Amino acid sequence: RSMDAYEVRETDPDYEGVTRTERDRPTPADDEVLIRLRAASLNYRDLAIANSELAYPGASLPVVPLSDGAGDVVEVGAAVERLAEGDRVATPFAPNWVDGPGTDEKLATSTGGNVDGALTQYATFPAESVPRLPDHLSYEEGATLSCAGLTAWRALVEDGGLSADETVLALGTGGVSTFALQFAEMHGARSVVTSSSDEKLDRARELGAWETINYEETPDWHETVMERTDGEGVDHVVEVGGQGTLERSLGAAGINGHVHLIGVLTGQQGEIDPSPVLGKAVTLEGVFGVGSRAMFDRMNRALDTTGTTPVVDRVFEFDAAREAYRYLESGDHQGKVVVDIE
Amino acid sequence: RSMDAYEVRETDPDYEGVTRTERDRPTPADDEVLIRLRAASLNYRDLAIANSELAYPGASLPVVPLSDGAGDVVEVGAAVERLAEGDRVATPFAPNWVDGPGTDEKLATSTGGNVDGALTQYATFPAESVPRLPDHLSYEEGATLSCAGLTAWRALVEDGGLSADETVLALGTGGVSTFALQFAEMHGARSVVTSSSDEKLDRARELGAWETINYEETPDWHETVMERTDGEGVDHVVEVGGQGTLERSLGAAGINGHVHLIGVLTGQQGEIDPSPVLGKAVTLEGVFGVGSRAMFDRMNRALDTTGTTPVVDRVFEFDAAREAYRYLESGDHQGKVVVDIE
Amino acid sequence: RSMDAYEVRETDPDYEGVTRTERDRPTPADDEVLIRLRAASLNYRDLAIANSELAYPGASLPVVPLSDGAGDVVEVGAAVERLAEGDRVATPFAPNWVDGPGTDEKLATSTGGNVDGALTQYATFPAESVPRLPDHLSYEEGATLSCAGLTAWRALVEDGGLSADETVLALGTGGVSTFALQFAEMHGARSVVTSSSDEKLDRARELGAWETINYEETPDWHETVMERTDGEGVDHVVEVGGQGTLERSLGAAGINGHVHLIGVLTGQQGEIDPSPVLGKAVTLEGVFGVGSRAMFDRMNRALDTTGTTPVVDRVFEFDAAREAYRYLESGDHQGKVVVDIE
Amino acid sequence: RSMDAYEVRETDPDYEGVTRTERDRPTPADDEVLIRLRAASLNYRDLAIANSELAYPGASLPVVPLSDGAGDVVEVGAAVERLAEGDRVATPFAPNWVDGPGTDEKLATSTGGNVDGALTQYATFPAESVPRLPDHLSYEEGATLSCAGLTAWRALVEDGGLSADETVLALGTGGVSTFALQFAEMHGARSVVTSSSDEKLDRARELGAWETINYEETPDWHETVMERTDGEGVDHVVEVGGQGTLERSLGAAGINGHVHLIGVLTGQQGEIDPSPVLGKAVTLEGVFGVGSRAMFDRMNRALDTTGTTPVVDRVFEFDAAREAYRYLESGDHQGKVVVDIE
């Protein structure tokens, strides 16, 4: 039987290689489940995979794009016990990473990168790597977690041990940064958000931001962070990349602070002067490969307990997936850009 | 110059040894501050110090009682830089414990136990051990933190690394347990509260409790905890002691769970069967000596950020301090019992 | 094709239920490997499984006994990539525990308990749970690691974060305790060993013990530990159980010390007074289910780097396996009791 | 009464500002001890303080130089209890850092930088910050610990949690690197050492190095590290700075590896491409302010238990202190350069 799906067939600056197609519906192996996807969302890395002007190490075209999806289990392999038909689930970013710290082996495959992803009606994954969705989330909301949500959770909670006495700096208002703001709020922590749009900063305050800074008006925003924290700086920066931000992020960190480095592109940050790492005993930590299913389960329990709902900026029809890529690239969004799967 | 103060002169089952008196106002040494106390609060250990039927190791009578107080700095020693006249502050439980893990040396003195405490108009403490109060707290609220608040904070946040995916069990609705409930809520975690009073359980739910159990109606409340958590048990028990509760607390803990053991009395728990520690890889951790000033500062920042206000059950006049002891012993309170200092 | 194997068919106080038999050689599933065993070793839990006077929760007879074995991979399932024919390997204690913290699911099966074990010529295990042996170990040495070695490693290194400034107390000179002594020595830490035999204590000193105590001559050995450590107590106790030792172990622990509770029998410890847990801020931690394959790999790397060789007390012929049980029960051994597999 | 001492009066490329002089012997305040110094040792930061071609942030001339010294307590302030006349002690690098994590306040003063140091017959320090020397060390050996020893200990053991399954890369054979090699050996870990001198590499192997690499013969030594560790890289790099090494250090780190960044000079490293931090989930951690007295005590206990002796390359007479500076700058040493104090 066939299914509707997208493939990235080639890279192109205007995402013309993102192509709607028909494919054979996959069959789950003994340890796999077959998921009927209902929604998927885009991350910056998905732009890099499809855009000839960017580069994502380890992409392997053609590939069904997108790591972040949500849907229902419709078939389980013979050896699968932990999931059943009808379970509402999310797709894994790293299908081999079930538990424990990351290793080369666990990070060898990435969904929508070198194995087929979520922008399709059906997909198979190892059952061990597939988390159940929190009940209170729609498919569209559940489709934002696999990369963006789990990246912020891992950085702040799993690696960072976030607690209510700390301060978090989120750069911008994209998917990861908005989750970072929400996880800070969830743990009682203070958050500082930057953006070039006062409107987005207003929305960030509604979501709980303690301070907001317009970085166009205040290009030296790291100094503003220092002032507003009485010279103490922040405990955590969720550094999502972008040319030239890392040095300022190091500048905004307090003594013993953590800069969680997130991103996809070699050379994206340019060269930096590492002196603040030394002079303030800062820890600069790479967040690579997103996270394990065990981490995903913990995040989902937290979302469930607190009733936290991901911020969905805009939902595109399945037919308009290319538009979703272009919209994400425009940077006009706040939170996540989602595609419905018919 | 003289001041009004209380002394515990001798232990007595009805707290008749708690005596109002006049004393010379103390003078701060070079590294000390003089505090004008405005309020103080009672903990169970204060009953044990004053009651001949209980026992508190390390008490040294006569002593000005109570570890938990709040007031203003009115004089600073010659070598003091970090505090100034007019600072609103709290008293330290362990005046030698400034930072780092506890040691015999740091835990050698305890306020209101073997060094003079907070139920007095004036007291001196080493400036290094005295934390500033959060601005939004009254003196009465600020006077609840030194022992009760910091014990719960240390157990759950400093030792326990609490996060929003976890579940906390608080036994009863006394001071430490109510703070435990509030710190769980502050960090997005689920909390379960037990009490023999449905009215107190109602109030606990208002404070954010996820589940409540009346332990008189449900003596095997550990089994109820297991059921309500789908057989998973809780991640943290704040075990405040009382005959026979520890075995049930171990029973309510999930695999890899933490039972934070709090209390003051040798033999208070009776003998227990440690098998659940083994069979569920539980960690049973003693919380001794409350905490350091560094921990206190972190707690205060969290209270400040989240605007959390301690639960004050009832405030007694300075003249009625003995009544406050008796009321705490009755167990009718929920949260903290405070004495105003005129 | 058939193979020689032992089964525990029924429990018996003299191990008469441990029976040599012939069985069909198992076939590896897609994700399994077939191991040709060359040696196996006994742990106290193996006595409990076979002895009607003891009890091991979760044993399921008949079962091929023993968790600890070593041999060669002779066949790999179709989906197995990480091992190959000819690899020298050890058997896993918990075949579902590959990585991360233990969970009910991961600890559901235990080798030689409710799934077939290592006292056989051939056995199959999930490839993900099977570690490679360090090159410098013989099969007999390699057959001591799965339970005894990994239990000590997990307690001291994985859970305990052992470093060279710390002191370890090992109770007795059995398998786990001797590994504890060796891992302490490996990390530069001081170790204290107890035994009723001066000869065994001599051997312990040869292995690096810093202090030794004959507990028959010194029944209050916890006080001796306190004296020899200048009143500081030890940082880690590897508490392998036995009636009445746990209270003394708590007494020998220093402030903030860790007592790692190991054992198999409900009620084995009797009832204890938990007061020292409170009064010294001791952490009592259950070590359950031994450890993951990731931990096993880390231990093996450490054995390899340091050239550490497990202490094999005595090797029995395959035919004399029952004698091995009885010898272990006698308590005359120091280190591990091994059975060769022909 | 007067004493002989050195002062750095001005910076000079040939250390002509390092001047022998007479000073008044200091008097200990109530919380201080007076130490009669017997030996002191040099660190690279001491060159930076005295050399006009380098720069050390926070130096304040004139200053008695050198942070690392050893001697005897000859007088104690009225309030001092933990030390007594006759105690053999070392000088603290950060006299305000007693315990807990570093803070701005604790790191505000540094011995031989902005407060007087150890190249003098007598010096006073707060008693709380002064550690006792291990008995087996001479004054010359004991004078190597305060900066060089404690930096390596903190990086690998306190921050890094070093264990015997790990691999450590030490860059060069200077003071910190040689301690790193010794602490790796102490904890059973593998170590890799680089140098431009085969003779020094021979000596490193005698001290326990697992692998050695001549970085002049092998400029791409990070690739060699990767090969010799079977592509796994190292768990810890002790990165002591020097132009251009940091990028290679990041290259030599394995997945989840730690690069401990040590150094004194802003811009010393030049600009680096932080991509490996991201792509291998590496943690780059600044080691600033050396460490607390609590850490120093733990290091000393470990030195004592294991009988480890610091490597003293050469001892200069008090009169020849300037020669010691020049010799250290030459880079010909391995281990520490010491000055005797008459």
Side-chain angles (χ1 to χ4, degrees), chain C:
Chain C
R1 286 173 305 169
S2 74
M3 64 177 184
D4 294 321
Y6 274 84
E7 287 177 355
V8 178
R9 293 192 174 159
E10 55 186 7
T11 60
D12 178 273
D14 199 31
Y15 306 101
E16 296 289 341
V18 179
T19 310
R20 182 160 176 169
T21 187
E22 282 202 6
R23 282 190 161 209
D24 284 346
R25 192 181 297 185
T27 305
D30 276 11
D31 63 344
E32 291 185 330
V33 293
L34 179 69
I35 304 174
R36 173 62 171 91
L37 278 308
R38 296 295 174 183
S41 81
L42 282 79
N43 292 286
Y44 190 81
R45 57 90 76 164
D46 299 311
L47 303 186
I49 288 167
N51 187 325
S52 56
E53 294 172 349
L54 303 170
Y56 182 75
S60 165
L61 305 188
V63 72
V64 174
L66 306 192
S67 57
D68 296 22
D72 304 296
V73 172
V74 290
E75 195 181 334
V76 302
V80 172
E81 294 182 16
R82 60 175 290 279
L83 292 174
E85 249 187 81
D87 283 348
R88 297 171 77 245
V89 296
T91 50
F93 181 91
N96 292 334
W97 191 0
V98 177
D99 205 347
T103 62
D104 285 332
E105 195 184 352
K106 294 177 190 176
L107 301 174
T109 55
S110 83
T111 301
N114 58 8
V115 299
D116 284 333
L119 195 55
T120 177
Q121 289 180 314
Y122 293 90
T124 54
F125 292 99
E128 283 297 308
S129 68
V130 172
R132 277 190 198 78
L133 281 183
D135 288 344
H136 72 297
L137 298 189
S138 68
Y139 293 115
E140 290 164 357
E141 291 160 350
T144 67
L145 302 172
S146 311
C147 177
L150 190 52
T151 293
W153 175 265
R154 173 189 164 187
L156 290 175
V157 183
E158 303 276 339
D159 291 355
L162 184 64
S163 52
D165 54 301
E166 296 187 309
T167 305
V168 172
L169 170 61
L171 299 192
T173 58
V176 173
S177 297
T178 300
F179 275 111
L181 161 57
Q182 292 181 292
F183 292 138
E185 178 71 7
M186 181 188 280
H187 288 85
R190 302 193 303 190
S191 57
V192 183
V193 176
T194 66
S195 175
S196 60
S197 152
D198 286 339
E199 201 185 327
K200 289 180 180 174
L201 293 175
D202 286 348
R203 175 76 175 116
R205 275 191 296 275
E206 287 168 30
L207 290 167
W210 173 70
E211 288 282 359
T212 58
I213 302 173
N214 187 315
Y215 65 77
E216 290 212 333
E217 293 169 11
T218 314
D220 289 337
W221 45 264
H222 56 299
E223 294 174 5
T224 308
V225 170
M226 271 292 166
E227 284 160 25
R228 298 200 188 164
T229 57
D230 299 321
E232 298 199 344
V234 301
D235 299 286
H236 299 276
V237 185
V238 179
E239 164 59 72
V240 289
Q243 190 72 33
T245 56
L246 180 51
E247 286 199 340
R248 285 190 164 82
S249 289
L250 292 172
I255 200 161
N256 304 313
H258 297 256
V259 177
H260 305 277
L261 185 58
I262 295 158
V264 298
L265 304 180
T266 300
Q268 177 184 20
Q269 288 283 356
E271 306 249 304
I272 63 145
D273 174 0
S275 300
V277 170
L278 178 59
K280 294 191 291 192
V282 162
T283 299
L284 177 63
E285 317 185 33
V287 182
F288 184 60
V290 182
S292 67
R293 197 255 302 170
M295 297 178 191
F296 208 145
D297 284 345
R298 290 191 283 265
M299 173 179 71
N300 283 352
R301 165 166 295 189
L303 293 168
D304 180 50
T305 298
T306 59
T308 302
T309 304
V311 175
V312 173
D313 177 275
R314 195 163 148 190
V315 180
F316 288 82
E317 296 297 307
F318 191 62
D319 236 19
R322 262 185 214 167
E323 297 311 306
Y325 277 79
R326 291 164 189 157
Y327 178 67
L328 182 71
E329 189 183 343
S330 77
D332 287 343
H333 62 289
Q334 182 162 20
K336 295 290 294 174
V337 176
V338 173
V339 178
D340 266 349
I341 298 173
E342 55 203 30

Side-chain angles (χ1 to χ4, degrees), chain B residues 30 82 99-101 105-106 128 293 298, chain D residues 30 82 99-101 105-106 128 293 298:
Chain B
D30 276 9
R82 58 175 293 280
D99 205 347
E105 195 183 351
K106 295 178 191 176
E128 284 296 309
R293 198 256 300 168
R298 289 191 284 265
Chain D
D30 276 10
R82 58 174 294 278
D99 205 347
E105 195 183 353
K106 296 177 189 176
E128 283 298 307
R293 198 256 300 168
R298 289 190 283 267

